[in-house]
Amino acid sequence: MRWLGADEQRAWRAWLDAHAWLSARLNRELQTGSGLSLSDYDVLVHLTDLPEGRLRAFELGQGLQWEKSRVSRQVSRMAERGLVAREAAPEDGRGAYVVLTEAGRRAIEEAAPAHVELVRRLLFEGLTAAQVRTLEAIAGSVVRRLDEA
């Protein structure tokens, strides 16, 4: 067994703590300010990144790295609130599209400025330009390794 060394252990714990604290704070602030959860926001971002505002449910799950059941539950909750809609995929009859609604577009457009400002304040204002580049390089390297696996 190769245990983590002391430096690796501190880095790993710092990564986990930063992710947990940042996610919790972003979620609380989004819900307070806009009524959207961080999961709602993530779904809406993926849909607004596309000109047609629609994705197959499995593609949304891949992009978010969520299990099929989590995508289904999240989309159902959002559809009940009118933020997204489900449409049958005519090309195979089994799959479904998740489609951004006008209400969903308005919700993210209203939530985005405060959310981006919070991300800037909580994360980027505490880093130098060199640290931002290092963060990008580290995160990119981790994602590439995970994608290869």
Side-chain angles (χ1 to χ4, degrees):
M1 179 72 200
R2 283 183 27 186
W3 294 103
L4 297 178
D7 290 343
E8 293 169 324
Q9 181 74 298
R10 282 190 303 277
W12 176 240
R13 295 279 174 98
W15 173 287
L16 291 176
D17 288 347
H19 179 267
W21 280 71
L22 188 58
S23 294
R25 180 72 180 273
L26 292 172
N27 191 52
R28 277 193 310 272
E29 296 285 336
L30 265 170
Q31 287 185 337
T32 299
S34 68
L36 296 175
S37 69
L38 190 54
S39 294
D40 294 336
Y41 194 88
D42 288 343
V43 168
L44 294 173
V45 164
H46 274 75
L47 295 174
T48 57
D49 281 348
L50 302 168
E52 63 276 9
R54 64 191 299 123
L55 269 174
R56 294 287 298 259
F58 80 90
E59 292 171 321
L60 179 61
Q62 287 174 337
L64 293 166
Q65 290 297 294
W66 289 358
E67 298 294 327
K68 182 179 178 180
S69 61
R70 181 175 180 192
V71 173
S72 180
R73 286 191 307 274
Q74 181 67 36
V75 168
S76 292
R77 286 190 296 269
M78 293 176 73
E80 287 174 6
R81 292 166 40 220
L83 300 171
V84 298
R86 279 196 173 102
E87 291 181 2
E91 56 272 13
D92 69 12
R94 291 181 47 202
Y97 283 97
V98 179
V99 182
L100 180 66
T101 64
E102 283 305 312
R105 186 172 301 282
R106 276 192 312 275
I108 194 166
E109 286 173 353
E110 290 171 8
H115 179 69
V116 170
E117 182 55 37
L118 184 62
V119 169
R120 178 175 304 288
R121 188 165 38 89
L122 295 178
L123 180 63
F124 293 109
E125 285 181 0
L127 302 176
T128 66
Q131 288 172 319
V132 171
R133 288 189 300 274
T134 300
L135 177 61
E136 178 188 11
I138 290 168
S141 178
V142 169
V143 169
R144 282 189 298 279
R145 285 183 55 87
L146 291 168
D147 190 43
E148 292 168 2

